[in-house]
Amino acid sequence: MKATARANSNIAFIKYWGNTDETLRLPANASLSMNLDGLHTETTVTWQQDEQHDTLTINGGIADDRALRRVSQFLDALRQRLGIRYGARVVSHNNFPMGAGIASSAASFAALAVAAAAAAGARLTERELSCLARLGSGSASRSVPSGFVEWRAGETHEDSYAFSVAPRVHWGLIDLVALVSSGHKAVGSREGHTSASTSDFQAIRVETAASRLDICRRALLERDFAAFAEVVERDSDMMHAVMMTSRPPLFYWLPGSLVLMDQVRRWRSEGLRVCYTLDAGPNVHCICLAEDANEIEARLGQVAEVQGVLRATTGGGAVVIG
Ligand code: PMV
């Protein structure tokens, strides 16, 4: 009745923003990402036969009520689908700053889904685990498969899942996450998704997402960095345009984010293979080729607004480790 799983975070090249079904977390559009090796969560789940309530410890401390409620809600969905009637003891460790645009919820819910299923003795396929993880956080569905991963939008619980489009060794991409602020963000992505449709730009973003995903997938499979960089930056900018024009507006960019976006474009025009993408936070993910990573990291170190840099190569999928 006990199992531990590890899952990496992921960074989306084509973003997920907005749901067609809030409860099932069916996304408004398909998305494409890469897992981030080493930026992970490890979670142990123990189903407790004599307990009705769940407990949650994050990084050694008892989690607040809000976090526990979210995890319990997710466990309710799992209990219903796996036929379990007990409470769970959940102990989770993250090795990167939470809530600052490094998708901690993706790694957390992927690890939680995989550990909870393993602890219950359920033998589920990768696709089924991806669907379960999605119920906790949409992007968590993409942290279940390995390497470069696509999440098909789907219309039901069973057909909205992620799958690997290329193994982690396919292309030597590195994510240098330039930390502009490591504080917890004001409005989380969960609330953000619900307001996406209040922006007049969301409909056009969703309508054109499939074509950006096709371009991005092709560039990835052909290792065409110029085409990849153009579509990744455009897709990130379009998502932030939706965020900024939602009601209420969501501005995740800080002045430092803009400084970095400008620098990255300049460095690319000088020949370095690097592009930027930002999630629901101010930190700038600088996606680059391994050959250029040291030079870019050195340059990031010279930018006054950068408080630190995390480096990740392409990571594997979620695994049971104990
Ligand atoms: O999975 P959530 O609800 O944390 O949403 C993630 C949304 C973005 O990170 C902004 C985009 C993405 O596709 O990961």
Side-chain angles (χ1 to χ4, degrees):
M1 297 310 269
K2 178 175 173 177
T4 302
R6 178 191 297 146
N8 289 312
S9 176
N10 68 71
I11 180 67
F13 301 145
I14 299 297
K15 308 293 191 187
Y16 146 57
W17 195 245
N19 294 315
T20 54
D21 183 316
E22 298 293 345
T23 313
L24 288 178
R25 268 179 236 287
L26 301 179
N29 62 282
S31 52
L32 182 66
S33 61
M34 135 177 153
N35 284 342
L36 300 176
D37 190 44
L39 299 182
H40 63 233
T41 301
E42 284 183 7
T43 299
T44 301
V45 172
T46 313
W47 292 109
Q48 317 231 74
Q49 302 210 10
D50 44 3
E51 261 299 334
Q52 290 306 308
H53 298 290
D54 303 315
T55 61
L56 174 64
T57 309
I58 300 177
N59 295 337
I62 307 277
D64 61 31
D65 285 353
R66 196 155 165 261
L68 176 62
R69 220 174 309 123
R70 185 163 175 194
V71 162
S72 276
Q73 253 175 28
F74 174 67
L75 290 173
D76 285 344
L78 255 60
R79 276 186 275 261
Q80 196 197 340
R81 285 163 204 275
L82 301 176
I84 300 169
R85 289 184 308 277
Y86 333 120
R89 202 168 98 83
V90 179
V91 179
S92 199
H93 288 276
N94 268 302
N95 70 347
F96 54 90
M98 288 171 69
I102 309 165
S104 56
S105 65
S108 309
F109 281 102
L112 180 56
V114 171
R123 286 166 180 269
L124 303 183
T125 61
E126 177 185 280
R127 173 173 167 173
E128 287 167 328
L129 288 167
S130 173
C131 290
L132 283 183
R134 189 201 73 239
L135 296 171
S137 157
S139 57
S141 67
R142 297 191 311 244
S143 279
V144 174
S146 184
F148 298 94
V149 174
E150 183 171 333
W151 169 19
R152 73 188 300 278
E155 284 167 4
T156 62
H157 171 67
E158 290 76 18
D159 72 3
S160 182
Y161 61 93
F163 55 95
S164 182
V165 289
R168 54 195 295 202
V169 294
H170 169 72
W171 201 11
L173 288 185
I174 305 258
D175 183 3
L176 294 172
V177 192
L179 302 174
V180 171
S181 155
S182 56
H184 211 85
K185 62 197 174 203
V187 177
S189 43
R190 198 145 76 136
E191 296 96 292
H193 291 296
T194 62
S195 67
S197 60
T198 63
S199 164
D200 295 334
F201 295 155
Q202 171 71 347
I204 187 78
R205 191 194 70 82
V206 169
E207 203 176 296
T208 52
S211 115
R212 284 190 303 283
L213 197 145
D214 283 345
I215 294 169
C216 190
R217 190 198 304 103
R218 195 172 330 121
L220 180 70
L221 294 176
E222 292 173 0
R223 302 186 189 90
D224 176 349
F225 195 84
F228 174 80
E230 192 281 328
V231 76
V232 167
E233 290 187 354
R234 183 153 49 94
D235 191 79
S236 173
D237 293 347
M238 282 184 83
M239 179 183 72
H240 284 272
V242 167
M243 292 163 159
M244 290 174 200
T245 52
S246 291
R247 282 159 278 174
L250 292 173
F251 278 74
Y252 289 109
W253 292 351
L254 291 178
S257 319
L258 282 160
V259 167
L260 281 168
M261 291 157 79
D262 184 48
Q263 287 292 345
V264 164
R265 271 193 233 101
R266 200 163 304 180
W267 296 339
R268 191 160 71 255
S269 73
E270 291 168 13
L272 288 171
R273 280 127 337 149
V274 59
C275 65
Y276 66 76
T277 185
L278 289 85
D279 278 346
N283 297 328
V284 181
H285 293 253
C286 303
I287 313 292
C288 61
L289 287 192
E291 299 92 286
D292 294 339
N294 287 344
E295 171 67 20
I296 292 158
E297 191 166 358
R299 290 188 185 198
L300 288 171
Q302 305 290 307
V303 178
E305 286 81 0
V306 174
Q307 296 168 1
V309 179
L310 303 173
R311 183 194 272 238
T313 53
T314 314
V319 284
V320 176
I321 55 170

